[in-house]
Amino acid sequence: MNTPPEVSIIVVNYKTARLVADLLQSIALQVLSEANIHVIVVDNASPDNSWVELQSMQASHKYPWVHLIQAPHNRGFSAGNNVGIRYAQQKFPNTHFFHLLNPDTLVHAGAIRELVQAFEQYPTVGIAGSRMENPDGSFQTGGFRFPGIFSELEEAIRFKWCTRLLARWQIMLPDSAVSTYCDWVCGASMMIRREVIEEIGPFDEDFFLYFEEVDFCHRAADVGWNCCYVPSSRVTHLEGQATGVTGKQATAKRRPKYWFNSRHRYMNRHLPGAACAFANLARLVGLTSWEIRRRIQKKPSHLPERFYQDFMMDIVERI
């Protein structure tokens, strides 16, 4: 009988200990019933009582299979995941796959196994992602295309005819009933083949939060690895509860500066020179068109508070 491949699950906590507890409960049966699954929870220097709560959970012997790490400083989501990856590489050197899970997720039965099977079925796949669902089971996200000039325009302008015209550049791909190749997958449930990290290195820690998984998938694609969306791996994503920035549960009214910094770093790296400038211009044109139309039609804005002004100021500051 073949030994199942080792999987190291990495969860980065920042002031979300109660969400982590719910996540651990959702994966408990899979961890206990499927051999060679390790769970590493990294507390990213939470300023609240998270570390004490996590230690209490472990001391209760409810989750004795959890390995707790306390990062000395909060250097962002990328750095927190890297702490977990390095720990797994040292503690479990035979790890085949690293599974990154957001604390605001709930993992459905068999979701971990389905991702592993996708790697076994497709040898050139280096990164695989789950079907992200809303709490009511409806589709949230799956696979994505890399951002570019036309996708920036399409996302911002919100014209139906423009969306149809630019459909081939839309960022989010439609849901699929079968596994399919894509450019990148949501970092809330993303599994990575060990060889990918060995070849391109860990996450870029200059991405504090957002765009880090897009950058990682792009770097992997640059050296020939494929990315795969696996709809049979189902994960409920309580979007916004962990970061408070995006999704229906978001609490932040304005988009934080680190979002703009991460976006700029990604665009500047993967759309160098004039392409980056044109991508910024395309989004600005789309935002301007939407702002004019919604004011004339007296429609509410779907954007974060002062996003149009903040985006323009960010572009001006970088000229």
Side-chain angles (χ1 to χ4, degrees):
M1 184 175 180
N2 294 330
T3 302
E6 288 193 36
V7 177
S8 287
I9 297 174
I10 298 167
V11 181
V12 177
N13 171 74
Y14 185 71
K15 302 192 299 184
T16 54
R18 293 182 181 179
L19 291 177
V20 172
D22 292 338
L23 167 60
L24 295 179
Q25 185 174 355
S26 76
I27 64 175
L29 287 178
Q30 295 180 71
V31 172
L32 295 173
S33 64
E34 300 180 27
N36 290 338
I37 296 180
H38 317 293
V39 181
I40 301 156
V41 176
V42 179
D43 181 64
N44 225 4
S46 299
D48 63 358
N49 206 40
S50 284
W51 180 245
V52 174
E53 290 184 47
L54 292 172
Q55 286 183 309
S56 177
M57 279 190 283
Q58 191 179 49
S60 70
H61 302 294
K62 189 174 183 180
Y63 307 113
W65 31 267
V66 172
H67 300 257
L68 289 181
I69 307 172
Q70 187 177 37
H73 308 286
N74 176 21
R75 295 175 49 234
F77 188 65
S78 293
N81 274 306
N82 286 346
V83 169
I85 290 171
R86 285 192 292 268
Y87 178 89
Q89 288 173 325
Q90 296 171 6
K91 184 75 174 180
F92 310 110
N94 294 321
T95 293
H96 295 81
F97 307 109
F98 299 90
H99 188 186
L100 311 187
L101 278 173
N102 270 20
D104 56 356
T105 58
L106 299 171
V107 181
H108 292 237
I112 300 170
R113 182 175 62 253
E114 291 294 330
L115 292 178
V116 171
Q117 289 177 349
F119 286 109
E120 294 173 339
Q121 185 176 357
Y122 307 107
T124 64
V125 167
I127 301 165
S130 303
R131 182 184 197 268
M132 310 306 296
E133 300 180 351
N134 295 306
D136 63 3
S138 60
F139 175 69
Q140 187 181 101
T141 61
F144 299 86
R145 295 185 178 94
F146 290 132
I149 297 171
F150 294 114
S151 68
E152 289 292 287
L153 176 62
E154 186 279 327
E155 187 174 13
I157 200 168
R158 295 177 67 83
F159 257 151
K160 288 184 179 180
W161 66 265
C162 192
T163 294
R164 288 194 294 268
L165 183 65
L166 301 176
R168 61 181 293 192
W169 289 285
Q170 276 184 300
I171 291 289
M172 191 167 76
L173 297 171
D175 194 15
S176 171
V178 296
S179 297
T180 182
Y181 290 120
C182 58
D183 287 341
W184 63 280
V185 291
C186 179
S189 177
M190 182 170 81
M191 190 175 284
I192 306 167
R193 194 185 291 269
R194 178 184 64 199
E195 290 83 355
V196 175
I197 295 177
E198 291 174 348
E199 186 168 0
I200 70 172
F203 285 87
D204 181 348
E205 296 185 4
D206 284 330
F207 289 91
F208 184 82
L209 184 61
Y210 293 103
F211 290 91
E212 68 284 326
E213 76 267 51
V214 195
D215 172 74
F216 186 85
C217 291
H218 209 305
R219 287 161 49 209
D222 286 343
V223 296
W225 288 104
N226 287 321
C227 187
C228 184
Y229 163 55
V230 185
S232 55
S233 172
R234 297 172 55 225
V235 173
T236 296
H237 187 201
L238 309 173
E239 189 180 20
Q241 289 200 16
T243 66
V245 175
T246 59
K248 295 179 179 179
Q249 303 296 325
T251 55
K253 293 183 178 180
R254 291 178 68 173
R255 194 59 55 87
K257 183 63 177 176
Y258 58 73
W259 184 90
F260 294 97
N261 291 339
S262 292
R263 177 189 177 277
H264 173 75
R265 182 166 182 79
Y266 174 84
M267 292 294 187
N268 197 50
R269 169 179 285 176
H270 299 291
L271 293 172
C276 181
F278 279 119
N280 289 334
L281 179 61
R283 180 172 278 261
L284 187 58
V285 167
L287 286 173
T288 302
S289 172
W290 164 246
E291 278 294 309
I292 293 173
R293 285 181 4 257
R294 81 165 188 86
R295 289 175 185 270
I296 292 174
Q297 298 170 2
K298 297 182 180 180
K299 291 183 176 181
S301 177
H302 68 287
L303 296 170
E305 190 175 291
R306 293 184 58 82
F307 182 82
Y308 181 70
Q309 295 90 329
D310 288 343
F311 182 84
M312 289 204 342
M313 183 59 66
D314 183 72
I315 298 302
V316 170
E317 289 175 353
R318 300 182 191 280
I319 294 177

